[in-house]
Structure formats: structure tokens, C-alpha cells
Amino acid sequence: MRPAKPPEHFGALLSLSAPPPTRARLLRDKLAGMRRSRSRGGGGQGGGGGGGGVGGGGGWVAATLAALLCCVVALAGGADAARRPRLPPTYKTLSAAMLRLWWPKVGFSGVFPDSSQDAYAFALIASAPDTALWCDVRLTKDGVGVCLRDINMQNCTNIAQAYPARKRNYAINGVRKTGWFTFDFSMAEFQTVFLTQGIWSRTDKFDFIKDPILSVTDLQTIVKPPSVWLNVQHDIFYKQHGLNTRNYILSIQKRVLVNYISSPELGFLQSISGRVSRKTKLVYSFLDKTLLDPSINQTYGSLLSNLTFIKSIASGIIVPKSYIWPVTTDNYLLPSTSIVTEAHNAGLEIYASDFANDRTIPYNYSYDPLAEYLNFISDGGFSVDGVLSEYPITASEAIGLGKDMPSYMQPVDVGSLVQLLKGTTVQPPALAPMPALNASSVEEPPLPPVAAKNASGGSSGHAPFPGAPPSDAHSATGCL
């Protein structure tokens, strides 16, 4: 068991002013030291985390990989580019200002287990300085808010091994789900639970660090992010089980500086509007257009035509990237929609979500995730106000590029190559043979002579063709 004491050098780890080699060394030392120490917050109804650390092992694997990642950042100049982006053009955002960055699933979750201390720490190292840390808030049985990718902990923690007999089944927003749920456990019971990579196609090497579950107050006191974004889901469902997310959010205001609060339930945002700090922005999160917002009993698709109503409650919206650039069934881009312009006309900031380097992206981007980001911020007709990504270093680099994107990185329109070639005399991209060849230049090679067979199947007596092996017919006859 690790003693509940934070590493002394953790504050230095998060210093964005440190050069890349220094940051690489700090992260390497920090991860190696995690076998000996792990910090936790205090417990209680207002949001502190309870309990101590969890057992360690295999930290040297994670430390090595993290150090290599830092070296890649340093060698490529990505960390410095992210920390000091190139001078950007004026973006067509709501405020015509520099874009900001956020990422869900959370921290640098493309590598580390999401919502882990290490995912958050590495994200701060590898991203732009104004990046916000995103926390999906889930409530425990004793009313503590924790950061977890899903209310069902089955795929993102070792909960099934820690508590195999506490599997449950619930109807959440009309959908039956089976697994282990945060509100069935107290914060103290999470002492033996650690975070794991929730997407199984990604590396599990960092699972062996055994990062504990962080409370929302842990995020503020341990990680010390420059900006915090809390995403609140299932407010109605929690109320059915005697928990209140609204009361929890209001109770931590003095301890956690929250810059953004988002939710896919407009009723929840309405319940905290005017009660949170004036510096806290409320953002409405759109889900699939066919799904229902249970707090107002309307589909998300229908709410797209009523952005002025959303503006009366929230200052911005988050939409899946397909809301902006729709995709065909065979994975090609359709023309962009007008939702960014409509949101800006309504006075709403708009953020695009669902970015990840290892997801299948439209073929127009030629498998280049950087080109995809750039299509949302330097299209020329609009720019989103921020992006939510599981690989923040890529998003930071894209915003650093801005409209300076090289021509070879521009997304390719379907059929554009064919249109380019129409009406032109196309030459192959290579020189013709010297001298030019024609039909008379081709000669058939001579065939070797073939001995005809007599009626008895033997040779006609003609000499064999040159190079033929000697006949062994006589020796074969002698054996009879």
C-alpha cells in the first residue's frame, strides 16, 4: 500500500516554463516514484476524496514509456510549439479571438487511463497554456463527486476484481445497463480501486501505475490546472437515487475554481443558472440528434432550431463534430452545415467534440488527424471556439498552424482529382523510355528445339536440345 503523501516534486512537474528535457525528467521521476507515494484528498459531503492510496507495481514500465513520450515531444518541438503557439491569424470565432482547447475522456487519455492524475499531468505538459482540464463528474454513495469517463465503472477501472459480487442492473435514461456504478460505492471503498484504459485498442501499459480515482477537489488541489471544465450527466437519474448534483456543484464553489460547467440536460443548467460564479460559463452539450433530453422532453435535433432559447440559459454549446461536417455512410465528408454561424449569430460559443487520433476519420483527410482539426478552425467561412480531444498535443499544434496550413494538408474534396483532369491532356508523372519504343522493338525470343516422339513413346532419334540432361533410358531398361 502506498502512503497518502504526494510527491514533493509534483508542483514542479506542472511547470510549463520548464524546458522539455526537464519536463521529461520530472515526469519520469514522478511516475517511478508513484510506487512509493500517492496523494489523495479529504472526504465528506462537499466533494473531497476519501481514503488512502492503492497498491503499486509495474511503475517502471509506465515511467519508461512516459519518458519516451516526453522525448518525442521535445525532439519534435511539439511541446514548445504547444506552449508557445505560432502567431495565429484572426479566427472567425464568436469573439474573433484565439481558440481555446479542452479534451474529454479526460487528460491525455489517448495514452494514459483517462481521468487519471498522470493523464492530466501529461496533458498540461504537452498542450497550449490555456488548455482546460475536463472532468466527467460522477457521484458516489456518500455524495462525493469523482472524475470518471462513465457512470458504469466496468471498463475504466478494476472494480470487477475488487468487488465481484456487487454487479447491478439499472435503467439509465430508459436504457438498461449492467455493471458497477459509482453511486453504489462510498469514496472510502475506492481505496482498492484503480483506473484502467477504457478503450481496449489502446495500450494497457499504464494501467500498472494503479492510479486511484480522483475526486473533483483532488483535481484542483493535486493537479492544479489553469482551467477546469466540469461535465455533469444523469442529474435526473441521481435524484432518483437520493443524490443531488446541483447541491454538490454549489458546495464546492469555494474550493474549486470552475471555469465551465456543461451538461446534456438543459434543466440542470437552468437549476444552477444565477447560482454559480459569474466567471463560470454554462455550456449545453448536444448528443445524438435522435436522443431525448430527459429534463425538457425534447430531442437534441429539435433543439438545434431553438438556439435563442438555449442562449437564455447557457453561453455556449458543445456538438459532435458530425454536426458541423457531416459524413456519408462510406466515410466521406459532406458540405459543412451552418450550425457554427447560427450559434455565433445567437451569441453562443460552439465547441466541437469527438476528436481522437486513433479513431476512423473521413478519408478526405488522408488519415491525418491534424488536417481534420484544421478543417474546423481554418475553413475560411467559420471557426469553432474550441475542440475537445483525447490527444491535446495534436489539437494544440493545429491551432498553432491556423491558416498557415500547407496546401498538401488541405482536405481533399470527393471527386476533385477527376474534375482537375477533365479537358486536359494528361501526361504520366515520369519520362518516357529513351529512345521511345514501338511494336517493332519487341521480338519474340526463340524457342528451343523439341524432339518428336515415335509411336512407342520413345525418342525419334533426334539429338536432344542443347543443355538437356543426358538420357537415362538405357539404364532404366537395364533394371527390368
Side-chain angles (χ1 to χ4, degrees):
M1 297 290 290
R2 302 171 186 167
K5 180 180 178 182
E8 295 179 357
H9 57 261
F10 188 78
L13 169 68
L14 302 182
S15 175
L16 291 175
S17 61
T22 302
R23 284 180 274 165
R25 175 179 54 79
L26 289 172
L27 182 60
R28 180 194 62 220
D29 294 344
K30 183 258 177 184
L31 290 175
M34 289 177 68
R35 287 179 294 176
R36 302 184 297 275
S37 60
R38 170 65 65 197
S39 56
R40 299 285 294 171
Q45 170 73 26
V54 284
W60 63 273
V61 176
T64 302
L65 291 175
L68 289 173
L69 281 171
C70 283
C71 289
V72 170
V73 170
L75 290 173
D80 277 344
R83 184 162 52 91
R84 295 188 298 271
R86 304 172 194 142
L87 293 176
T90 300
Y91 292 101
K92 294 188 177 180
T93 60
L94 180 64
S95 61
M98 181 66 178
L99 278 78
R100 296 182 61 84
L101 292 179
W102 300 270
W103 55 94
K105 313 294 189 225
V106 259
F108 208 119
S109 56
V111 177
F112 299 92
D114 38 290
S115 304
S116 67
Q117 178 178 341
D118 298 289
Y120 286 131
F122 195 80
L124 289 178
I125 291 172
S127 303
D130 58 351
T131 298
L133 294 187
W134 173 289
C135 169
D136 283 307
V137 181
R138 318 292 179 185
L139 295 183
T140 63
K141 182 167 61 177
D142 47 351
V144 177
V146 296
C147 298
L148 274 176
R149 66 171 288 121
D150 201 324
I151 191 174
N152 186 348
M153 299 183 289
Q154 181 171 355
N155 285 349
C156 58
T157 68
N158 72 322
I159 192 74
Q161 289 74 42
Y163 299 98
R166 294 176 67 173
K167 193 175 186 178
R168 299 290 185 270
N169 182 278
Y170 295 101
I172 302 177
N173 292 348
V175 179
R176 300 298 306 187
K177 294 186 177 183
T178 300
W180 288 258
F181 299 86
T182 57
F183 54 86
D184 285 330
F185 299 86
S186 67
M187 193 67 192
E189 290 177 302
F190 285 156
Q191 292 184 37
T192 56
V193 179
F194 58 85
L195 297 167
T196 60
Q197 177 57 257
I199 298 178
W200 292 354
S201 60
R202 294 172 178 171
T203 181
D204 64 349
K205 299 301 182 184
F206 291 91
D207 293 358
F208 304 108
I209 299 176
K210 298 188 176 181
D211 275 304
I213 296 173
L214 294 176
S215 71
V216 176
T217 53
D218 286 338
L219 178 64
Q220 178 69 47
T221 58
I222 298 176
V223 181
K224 297 180 176 64
S227 184
V228 173
W229 186 313
L230 301 182
N231 183 52
V232 178
Q233 300 182 63
H234 312 304
D235 175 57
I236 294 176
F237 179 76
Y238 284 125
K239 287 179 180 177
Q240 296 170 355
H241 293 267
L243 297 170
N244 194 306
T245 50
R246 171 184 172 273
N247 290 346
Y248 172 74
I249 294 297
L250 296 178
S251 71
I252 64 171
Q253 283 193 97
K254 292 184 179 180
R255 285 176 290 166
V256 181
L257 180 61
V258 181
N259 304 86
Y260 302 86
I261 299 175
S262 62
S263 176
E265 298 179 29
L266 199 59
F268 169 75
L269 294 178
Q270 195 166 21
S271 71
I272 63 172
S273 178
R275 294 175 174 85
V276 294
S277 169
R278 293 181 179 179
K279 296 181 179 180
T280 303
K281 293 185 177 182
L282 303 183
V283 182
Y284 184 55
S285 180
F286 280 81
L287 304 181
D288 187 277
K289 294 179 182 180
T290 61
L291 295 179
L292 198 70
D293 179 343
S295 66
I296 57 175
N297 202 33
Q298 292 187 46
T299 63
Y300 294 101
S302 65
L303 288 168
L304 282 175
S305 60
N306 203 357
L307 295 180
T308 52
F309 170 61
I310 295 176
K311 173 59 181 174
S312 66
I313 301 171
S315 62
I317 59 174
I318 309 173
V319 298
K321 59 186 181 182
S322 60
Y323 272 47
I324 301 172
W325 285 99
V327 181
T328 64
T329 55
D330 52 353
N331 203 36
Y332 286 95
L333 287 177
L334 291 170
S336 61
T337 67
S338 58
I339 185 173
V340 175
T341 302
E342 291 171 3
H344 288 166
N345 289 341
L348 291 166
E349 292 181 330
I350 180 169
Y351 315 102
S353 65
D354 298 341
F355 289 91
N357 291 9
D358 53 358
R359 288 188 181 181
T360 300
I361 62 177
Y363 299 137
N364 308 66
Y365 302 122
S366 301
Y367 300 97
D368 185 354
L370 190 60
E372 182 183 32
Y373 287 108
L374 292 168
N375 207 29
F376 284 79
I377 65 174
S378 21
D379 167 71
F382 62 83
S383 294
V384 297
D385 297 272
V387 294
L388 295 89
S389 170
E390 299 180 39
Y391 290 83
I393 189 172
T394 310
S396 296
E397 179 64 13
I399 289 182
L401 280 176
K403 291 183 179 178
D404 296 328
M405 174 174 49
S407 59
Y408 62 83
M409 294 180 63
Q410 296 280 355
V412 180
D413 295 329
V414 178
S416 60
L417 183 60
V418 175
Q419 296 297 324
L420 180 65
L421 299 180
K422 277 186 176 180
T424 62
T425 302
V426 182
Q427 296 293 330
L431 292 175
M434 295 292 194
L437 300 178
N438 51 42
S440 63
S441 304
V442 180
E443 295 182 358
E444 292 289 342
L447 295 175
V450 178
K453 290 184 178 181
N454 56 28
S456 62
S459 173
S460 62
H462 294 289
F465 61 85
S471 174
D472 57 355
H474 296 291
S475 59
T477 304
C479 294
L480 293 177

